[in-house]
Amino acid sequence: MQINKVKGTYDVLPTESYRWHALEEKIHSILKLYNIKEMRTPIMEYSEVFHRQSELSDMVTKETYDFDDRGERRLTLRPEGTAGVIRSYVENKLYASQELEKVYYIGPNFRYERPQKGRYRQFYQFGVEAIGTVDPALDAEMIMLAYDFIKRLGLKGVSVKINSLGDDESRRAYQEALTKHFEPHHDTLCDDCKARLIKNPLRILDCKIDQKHEAVMHAPTPQDYLNEFSRAYFNQVLAHLNASQIKYQISPKLVRGLDYYSHTVFEIEADIEGFGAQNVLGGGGRYQKLVSELGGPELGGIGFACGMERLLLALDAENIELAKADQLDAYVIVMGEELRITGSKILFDLRQSNLIADMNYTKKAFKGQLKQALRLDAKYLIILGEEEFKKGVVGIKNTKTEIQEEVPLRNITMYIKENGEK
Ligand code: HAM
């Protein structure tokens, strides 16, 4: 019986993996410019890393993959990267050696969401976190990095949506205002939002059911409740962005879908043909309590993450190729059973000389082997026939110029290296 992939997942086929490599290489090379090192944390964590009392987002309360392992430990497949990075930051006491720790990560995340184009149940994120320091310059740096990264991919119409939720005091004032605003509408809200009204009215704003509810559309915005410190902090962030001419828009309704944020929140978009709502390529913000909630000192952080499938879909829609699939330098065509040992020696020598090479293993006739070589876009065909072999030579054919020459067996790799790009 054939078993298909799990709903909301996908396979990266051998013909597509070069696009992932190219994107990953881009990430590594750009992050190097920002002096940020990679960090790798496990895909599974103890559930408490994500299921914290303060986190009431749909993502954590409704979409996580939770399970007991065989030792009856409660584990969760990470739905996002930040909490695991902070768990590791605290566990490894990274705060003890550096005031500011900046890291990036690439890896899969799991959310039980309704799958659609650009939304999967297993998806990859590339993310960055800067932990330990509270400084508007750092908030701006993360936004500039996200912006720079998307632009360097070649995407057009890149813009940042930004907002501030303010500090604790401002957030509290805003939440009180939201409670007051929504209370008269209690009966017309969905059941989840009725509960949210008591626990955390902010979450009503990104409810998928009540999105178009009149009261949601006309809800107060955080900007009106920022205290002096929070407003000054936000203005500083904007001043940094202005100085570097980063295109941004203040988006008063932006609150983001996770509960750990305070102060700066942002999302990054690009104009992509046929993308609609999935044009949000990444998002992030500042978090002031996450480190202490996960057992560390009172230190703040800021970061963002981009969905890698969305980036690849966007590049596709805009016909941007970060790289071409690797072309074979040479393909060995063997004409006769008794020459196969020589064929595999030639192949091994080519690879030892760092040439990308392959040969045919299905013992096809010349025509079949040629077809395979052309399908693989080989630059050179190395034709090993009995007549030639007796003379100690092979035929080497340049598939572009169609010029074929006889080359002594011992000079094959030298010939291909020297003629290289011709
Ligand atoms: P997020 O907004 O939940 O934030 O996810 C960031 C990005 O991941 C989204 O903008 C989107 O591109 C991608 N994404 C999210 N869910 C899916 C999905 N189901 N399928 C495909 N792509 C998806 C976070 O995860 C925060 N940890 C970001 C952050 C880092 N905040 C501070 N530091």
Side-chain angles (χ1 to χ4, degrees):
M1 189 186 67
Q2 178 190 306
I3 302 170
N4 292 346
K5 60 184 178 291
V6 171
K7 185 174 174 187
T9 66
Y10 58 86
D11 302 310
V12 178
L13 298 177
T15 45
E16 301 156 354
S17 50
Y18 76 96
R19 302 181 65 232
W20 283 84
H21 296 161
L23 179 59
E24 285 160 16
E25 270 161 32
K26 233 0 194 216
I27 294 170
H28 296 307
S29 66
I30 295 171
L31 269 289
K32 206 179 261 183
L33 302 175
Y34 285 79
N35 186 31
I36 302 181
K37 304 274 186 304
E38 190 187 1
M39 179 169 196
R40 299 186 187 188
T41 63
I43 285 166
M44 55 187 174
E45 295 277 358
Y46 288 117
S47 286
E48 303 92 276
V49 170
F50 306 106
H51 291 280
R52 302 176 310 275
Q53 264 189 356
S54 62
E55 189 59 66
L56 297 170
S57 58
D58 273 10
M59 187 191 91
V60 169
T61 56
K62 291 186 177 171
E63 296 171 0
T64 51
Y65 284 84
D66 305 308
F67 60 98
D68 292 331
D69 74 2
R70 288 171 194 273
E72 291 177 13
R73 296 170 197 92
R74 193 77 182 145
L75 304 182
T76 296
L77 298 184
R78 64 177 179 212
E80 56 116 23
T82 312
V85 166
I86 302 300
R87 191 272 310 141
S88 172
Y89 172 81
V90 172
E91 186 173 345
N92 292 295
K93 296 195 172 49
L94 298 185
Y95 49 83
S97 51
Q98 293 225 59
E99 266 179 40
L100 174 62
E101 185 71 53
K102 293 192 224 175
V103 298
Y104 73 95
Y105 49 89
I106 297 175
N109 300 278
F110 305 84
R111 296 184 193 176
Y112 195 80
E113 289 198 87
R114 184 174 301 181
Q116 50 179 286
K117 186 178 168 199
R119 175 165 292 150
Y120 309 91
R121 289 186 174 167
Q122 175 177 334
F123 63 97
Y124 271 72
Q125 273 185 351
F126 139 63
V128 184
E129 310 294 340
I131 318 152
T133 308
V134 184
D135 182 340
L138 198 55
D139 298 40
E141 185 188 43
M142 287 298 117
I143 295 167
M144 290 194 250
L145 165 50
Y147 180 86
D148 182 24
F149 172 74
I150 305 277
K151 280 200 91 153
R152 279 177 192 255
L153 294 182
L155 292 169
K156 308 240 163 48
V158 182
S159 73
V160 178
K161 293 227 155 83
I162 184 170
N163 197 16
S164 172
L165 303 176
D167 61 5
D168 262 4
E169 187 187 66
S170 312
R171 264 187 67 138
R172 257 197 314 275
Y174 178 51
Q175 295 208 335
E176 276 166 27
L178 282 177
T179 308
K180 245 196 214 145
H181 171 80
F182 283 119
E183 258 166 1
H185 303 278
H186 174 274
D187 294 350
T188 59
L189 293 171
C190 76
D191 285 347
D192 280 342
C193 283
K194 283 184 181 127
R196 288 174 181 133
L197 186 51
I198 299 161
K199 288 193 201 151
N200 181 0
L202 211 95
R203 289 279 68 89
I204 298 176
L205 300 176
D206 52 20
C207 173
K208 286 175 187 127
I209 299 167
D210 281 341
Q211 237 168 30
K212 296 262 153 66
H213 192 296
E214 198 60 15
V216 173
M217 313 258 285
H218 297 107
T221 61
Q223 289 275 315
D224 300 328
Y225 298 87
L226 295 183
N227 59 16
E228 211 173 305
F229 171 73
S230 303
R231 186 163 300 284
Y233 191 96
F234 189 46
N235 286 336
Q236 275 296 308
V237 176
L238 300 182
H240 278 90
L241 298 181
N242 289 336
S244 292
Q245 298 182 330
I246 305 295
K247 259 203 213 151
Y248 68 83
Q249 248 179 308
I250 298 176
S251 188
K253 287 194 168 158
L254 181 69
V255 294
R256 303 263 308 130
L258 280 146
D259 273 324
Y260 52 58
Y261 293 117
S262 54
H263 285 290
T264 316
V265 286
F266 64 98
E267 285 185 344
I268 185 136
E269 303 178 348
D271 290 336
I272 304 149
E273 199 50 43
F275 252 49
Q278 294 330 336
N279 71 344
V280 178
L281 299 173
R286 177 161 281 289
Y287 42 87
Q288 298 294 79
K289 296 257 173 72
L290 199 49
V291 181
S292 58
E293 273 181 14
L294 288 168
E298 300 270 333
L299 292 171
I302 178 156
F304 70 91
C306 292
M308 290 176 59
E309 296 80 5
R310 286 200 196 168
L311 294 175
L312 289 173
L313 282 168
L315 293 170
D316 224 14
E318 295 292 306
N319 285 320
I320 300 169
E321 285 237 54
L322 293 183
K324 285 210 174 347
D326 275 332
Q327 194 182 1
L328 285 195
D329 292 306
Y331 191 87
V332 183
I333 293 182
V334 183
M335 303 298 300
E337 193 52 33
E338 52 301 338
L339 295 177
R340 294 188 69 80
I341 291 176
T342 310
S344 66
K345 182 186 177 320
I346 294 173
L347 186 59
F348 191 65
D349 287 347
L350 290 165
R351 290 169 174 167
Q352 291 288 295
S353 305
N354 297 327
L355 292 164
I356 306 174
D358 209 347
M359 70 182 239
N360 184 272
Y361 286 98
T362 49
K363 303 179 186 171
K364 280 195 180 123
F366 178 78
K367 224 170 138 190
Q369 297 192 43
L370 181 65
K371 213 163 138 191
Q372 176 74 350
L374 296 179
R375 197 176 67 81
L376 291 169
D377 198 18
K379 287 184 206 157
Y380 288 95
L381 306 177
I382 298 172
I383 304 159
L384 181 59
E386 270 171 46
E387 287 304 304
E388 290 95 338
F389 183 64
K390 277 186 203 145
K391 289 196 275 173
V393 298
V394 290
I396 299 189
K397 183 171 182 173
N398 182 322
T399 54
K400 207 154 100 193
T401 60
E402 306 227 319
I403 294 171
Q404 181 163 336
E405 291 184 87
E406 276 194 350
V407 178
L409 275 163
R410 60 177 183 285
N411 290 346
I412 298 175
T413 50
M414 202 175 71
Y415 178 90
I416 290 179
K417 284 211 146 176
E418 277 179 3
N419 288 279
E421 291 300 311
K422 271 187 222 162

